[in-house]
Amino acid sequence: GISSGSFLVQMLLSSRIDGEMTAMRAFVPPGVVTHWHSHPRGQLLFVLDGIGLVQRKGDDPREVRAGDAVWFAPGEAHWHGAAPSCPFSYLSVQPVRSGTAVHWMEPVKKEESTS
């Protein structure tokens, strides 16, 4: 799995070719968060609607809202998802390296996503 529950993804750009961009729009139900992951060439996450949470390894989770833009550096472990009481939708753009735009890791512990 890649998240604590299912969410809807609309792929806008899909590729496995190095240097090309992938882009998606995601609609995340309340309380659903991704597993920890990283992007080999980084990720731009732009919040479209709702209230989200983002956390970088070593930092506290922080709230994001419509219009917020977050940059995750290449290889930076992080997760993002919907706040417990609110859905969340975002647009993300991430380039491909070595045939992938994402590396998935372990699930987020409950205390991490609710603190």
Side-chain angles (χ1 to χ4, degrees):
I2 62 164
S3 66
S4 64
S6 57
F7 62 95
L8 181 64
V9 170
Q10 177 185 13
M11 285 308 292
L12 304 173
L13 293 171
S14 190
S15 179
R16 292 190 174 277
I17 298 169
D18 278 18
E20 288 194 357
M21 303 301 274
T22 65
M24 59 183 247
R25 185 177 179 188
F27 304 86
V28 187
V32 172
V33 301
T34 67
H35 289 186
W36 286 98
H37 61 285
S38 66
H39 303 278
R41 288 194 167 163
Q43 178 187 56
L44 172 67
L45 188 143
F46 181 76
V47 183
L48 298 171
D49 198 27
I51 304 171
L53 296 170
V54 301
Q55 184 179 11
R56 303 167 199 276
K57 210 50 139 184
D59 287 354
D60 291 330
R62 70 178 184 93
E63 203 174 87
V64 291
R65 293 175 179 265
D68 288 345
V70 182
W71 171 253
F72 297 106
E76 181 175 51
H78 68 281
W79 61 264
H80 36 85
S85 59
C86 190
F88 173 52
S89 65
Y90 64 86
L91 179 69
S92 71
V93 181
Q94 45 282 314
V96 175
R97 187 170 79 197
S98 302
T100 188
V102 63
H103 296 293
W104 292 104
M105 301 169 194
E106 71 278 5
V108 173
K109 294 183 181 77
K110 201 66 183 162
E111 61 273 16
E112 290 175 318
S113 66
T114 54
S115 57

